Amino acid sequence: MKSDAVRKGMQQAPHRSLFNALGMTEEEMKRPLVGIVSSYNEIVPGHMNLDKITEAVRIGVAEAGGTPVVFPAIAVCDGIAMGHIGMKYSLVTRDLIADSTECMAIAHQFDALVMIPNCDKNVPGLLMAAARVNVPTVFVSGGPMLAGHVRGRKRSLSSMFEAVGSYAAGKMTEDDVREYENNVCPTCGSCSGMYTANSMNCLTEVLGMGLQGNGTIPAVYSARIRLAKMAGMQVMECLKKNIRPRDIMTKEAFMNALTMDMALGCSTNSMLHLPAIAHEAGFDFEAELANELSEKTPNLCHLAPAGAHYMEDLNEAGGIYAVMKEIASLGLLNLDCMTVTGKTVGENIANAVNRDPEVIRPVSNPYSATGGIAVLKGNIAPDTAVVKRSAVLPEMMVHEGPARVFDCEEDAIEAIKGGAIHEGDVVVIRYEGPKGGPGMREMLNPTSAIAGMGLDSTVALITDGRFSGASRGAAIGHVSPEAAVGGPIAFIEEGDIISINIPEYRLEVKVSDEEMEKRKAAWKPKEPKVASGYLSRYAKMVTSANKGARLELL
């Protein structure tokens, strides 16, 4: 066993004395050492229940003959961090999580790991770590929140942000907003729509790193506790069979994940995280691959913010396996990929049943013939830009309008809420990319303000930053190259006409090449917004969004 390096032989007598100090018995020292990476904290609603999940995993590991040892991982609540300097510290934690977990796992020579994430950067960070460490590993998340109810209708966090926009537009009273405030987030768990956290937990299930139900069983259900116990037991089976993350997270598995991303209508953040995880697993892919898969993958689910369904509805309809079975009927999934169950994808989904053809549309009646995400290119985004087209209204799939240019999120929000943005405009927010932000902030506040003010059918937004999975509308992010490195988005001027054509994957400014070259020659880089601390180091090492905003060595 890997842990023999710290527990067996005379040379390891000092090590054993420290295990004695932990209260570990001689019998426990003979068993496989299983690290349980718990993301429990008391500031993230999606993590406040992870102490119970962790204890259930401990029980499962011990029942199956392992010695469970818990150590922590950090997590940021994107909702609480939204709209202020705190959001600069969200995406950047993905790499801190991966790095610190790698350090802990290798320093202490764990034989296997159970990862317990739940929210946005926590899931991909631990997947990255799993690929690096490559010991038998099983994921079990904390589960999604139940939907809230306001005046007889299901609601979620995105409804809350949009309510603030409606208040700014005079469409809601302060009491109306307070009613939403007190009812949209009724339980612990990751926010209840197909936002980033739930997208990544569902895709973990698709990749084969989590058990059935990992992405959809609500946080407050007892089934979630049972799942956690099963995860603890299953990691011991993976250890016996020597099934490791890199045996599971193969090129074919990532193609399955990208395909299901299209079918589910996941958050655009998945287009940052999947490339970064794949890179750690030894496989790189171009973002444009998403369009190739999207062209042949129907979009079968419209969960909030794209539609009126929520994670609890997807769970009751049959969960991720039921969606996979629909897509597999078109021959679009590799069914031979290995999973943590010890079975192949095909074996796992063989008995899945679609119990609600409205929540999970059959392939004969999809929401759209193409997938939920599109990658755009053009003279604004020579590399790529990304949009969640399943959350775009039909009338905004093709749009032209004058640019309203802002060099930070705060200025854009002030203009939107101040009534300075009008029908037909294209809001441009730049210098918010991985380097320019730094940290590539989410733009849920401006997109929600646009939607809340009733402008989402006439106003588009493009940015070198990114969007929350809760954003909806013609919200185009990840523009690469970003403004901070002299990408063309830096050269757009107020009033330039911007052309968006999502069906044709085009994003352009109607300015001649010659004029753009003149503007480029006159452009000067801005001073870094942050000159010290972790964000400063991050800005120096981070790659472009089209490469997953991953870190590279200096």
Side-chain angles (χ1 to χ4, degrees):
M1 288 189 296
K2 192 178 182 75
S3 60
D4 288 352
V6 295
R7 294 193 295 181
K8 282 195 175 180
M10 186 53 65
Q11 285 295 111
Q12 279 66 44
H15 305 68
R16 290 194 297 275
S17 71
L18 293 169
F19 282 110
N20 285 333
L22 292 171
M24 198 173 286
T25 65
E26 191 171 324
E27 177 58 34
E28 286 175 305
M29 280 191 241
K30 293 177 182 177
R31 297 174 181 171
L33 197 63
V34 180
I36 301 173
V37 187
S38 173
S39 304
Y40 169 75
N41 65 44
E42 294 183 340
I43 189 62
V44 184
H47 291 230
M48 63 180 286
N49 66 321
L50 296 191
D51 55 342
K52 295 176 177 60
I53 301 297
T54 300
E55 184 56 32
V57 170
R58 284 175 58 91
I59 292 169
V61 169
E63 283 183 350
T67 297
V69 180
V70 177
F71 65 90
I74 64 170
V76 164
C77 177
D78 277 21
I80 295 174
M82 195 72 65
H84 56 88
I85 191 173
M87 182 45 70
K88 294 179 185 288
Y89 286 87
S90 173
L91 178 61
V92 304
T93 64
R94 186 186 69 183
D95 298 274
L96 285 173
I97 291 162
D99 292 349
S100 58
T101 303
E102 172 195 355
C103 291
M104 288 292 288
I106 295 177
H108 301 102
Q109 292 292 286
F110 287 105
D111 297 302
L113 297 168
V114 179
M115 306 293 199
I116 308 177
N118 210 26
C119 290
D120 296 31
K121 313 312 161 305
N122 197 239
V123 185
L126 290 179
L127 283 166
M128 290 164 69
R132 286 186 202 171
V133 177
N134 201 35
V135 298
T137 303
V138 175
F139 277 67
V140 56
S141 78
M145 183 183 291
L146 293 178
H149 291 81
V150 180
R151 300 178 187 178
R153 295 183 63 185
K154 286 186 177 181
R155 295 296 188 185
S156 63
L157 184 65
S158 56
S159 310
M160 185 69 253
F161 277 88
E162 290 177 16
V164 174
S166 295
Y167 174 78
K171 296 180 179 181
M172 276 192 178
T173 67
E174 189 173 338
D175 287 341
D176 292 333
V177 175
R178 190 172 293 109
E179 183 178 7
Y180 272 70
E181 184 181 327
N182 290 329
N183 290 287
V184 299
C185 296
T187 72
C188 63
S190 48
C191 296
S192 55
M194 188 56 83
Y195 310 144
T196 305
N198 293 326
S199 294
M200 293 310 303
N201 280 321
C202 290
L203 294 180
T204 298
E205 204 173 320
V206 177
L207 279 170
M209 292 297 295
L211 300 177
Q212 182 178 8
N214 180 64
T216 60
I217 297 172
V220 295
Y221 283 14
S222 298
R224 177 63 59 178
I225 300 295
R226 294 197 298 271
L227 184 73
K229 291 177 182 176
M230 291 165 59
M233 292 185 277
Q234 192 58 38
V235 78
M236 297 302 296
E237 286 299 309
C238 290
L239 181 60
K240 289 175 188 175
K241 297 175 181 177
N242 197 29
I243 300 173
R244 299 169 181 252
R246 290 197 181 191
D247 300 324
I248 294 168
M249 290 194 285
T250 61
K251 178 178 179 179
E252 293 76 17
F254 279 101
M255 292 303 98
N256 283 351
L258 278 167
T259 298
M260 288 300 297
D261 192 333
M262 302 303 151
L264 290 164
C266 291
S267 163
T268 51
N269 282 315
S270 63
M271 294 304 297
L272 285 176
H273 300 321
L274 287 176
I277 300 161
H279 180 77
E280 297 291 351
F283 165 60
D284 290 320
F285 62 85
E286 297 297 324
E288 298 95 308
L289 179 61
N291 290 343
E292 179 184 329
L293 295 175
S294 181
E295 284 296 326
K296 55 187 177 183
T297 307
N299 178 223
L300 304 184
C301 299
H302 263 196
L303 278 73
H309 300 139
Y310 293 82
M311 295 305 298
E312 62 201 64
D313 302 317
L314 180 57
N315 186 64
E316 291 168 11
I320 300 306
Y321 280 15
V323 187
M324 292 177 75
K325 191 168 184 181
E326 289 283 354
I327 294 300
S329 71
L330 297 175
L332 298 179
L333 296 181
N334 186 311
L335 301 181
D336 296 325
C337 292
M338 181 50 61
T339 72
V340 293
T341 66
K343 300 176 182 178
T344 64
V345 167
E347 291 173 313
N348 284 344
I349 68 173
N351 297 319
V353 176
N354 181 355
R355 300 188 183 94
D356 190 335
E358 265 307 305
V359 176
I360 304 172
R361 291 277 185 92
V363 293
S364 59
N365 181 36
Y367 282 102
S368 64
T370 52
I373 287 178
V375 175
L376 313 184
K377 296 185 79 170
N379 66 352
I380 295 176
D383 290 340
T384 55
V386 178
V387 62
K388 185 174 181 176
R389 65 174 162 190
S390 61
V392 179
L393 292 170
E395 56 266 39
M396 289 299 291
M397 287 291 185
V398 178
H399 178 76
E400 279 193 8
R404 306 299 309 279
V405 182
F406 304 93
D407 287 349
C408 68
E409 178 189 3
E410 287 84 356
D411 290 350
I413 292 171
E414 184 179 351
I416 295 166
K417 291 186 176 179
I421 302 302
H422 307 292
E423 291 187 7
D425 286 348
V426 178
V427 177
V428 177
I429 306 177
R430 61 193 180 189
Y431 295 100
E432 291 285 7
K435 288 183 180 292
M440 202 179 183
R441 288 195 285 182
E442 288 186 342
M443 302 289 166
L444 180 56
N445 272 348
T447 59
S448 297
I450 288 169
M453 298 179 80
L455 294 172
D456 55 314
S457 62
T458 59
V459 171
L461 190 156
I462 68 171
T463 180
D464 53 8
R466 60 194 179 90
F467 295 108
S468 165
S471 290
R472 63 184 176 93
I476 300 166
H478 306 193
V479 170
S480 303
E482 62 176 291
V485 299
I489 191 173
F491 315 141
I492 297 173
E493 296 182 356
E494 186 82 7
D496 285 348
I497 300 301
I498 291 178
S499 173
I500 299 166
N501 192 318
I502 295 173
E504 295 184 5
Y505 307 114
R506 301 297 299 171
L507 177 63
E508 297 183 331
V509 57
K510 291 194 166 182
V511 173
S512 69
D513 293 344
E514 292 78 13
E515 175 61 22
M516 289 295 277
E517 283 300 318
K518 285 181 184 178
R519 295 179 185 181
K520 181 177 181 179
W523 175 80
K524 292 182 180 179
K526 289 184 177 290
E527 288 294 317
K529 292 179 182 177
V530 179
S532 63
Y534 177 60
L535 285 180
S536 178
R537 297 198 302 275
Y538 179 89
K540 292 172 183 174
M541 299 173 68
V542 70
T543 62
S544 177
N546 69 309
K547 294 183 178 179
R550 64 176 188 265
L551 300 187
E552 289 187 339
L553 297 176
L554 293 172

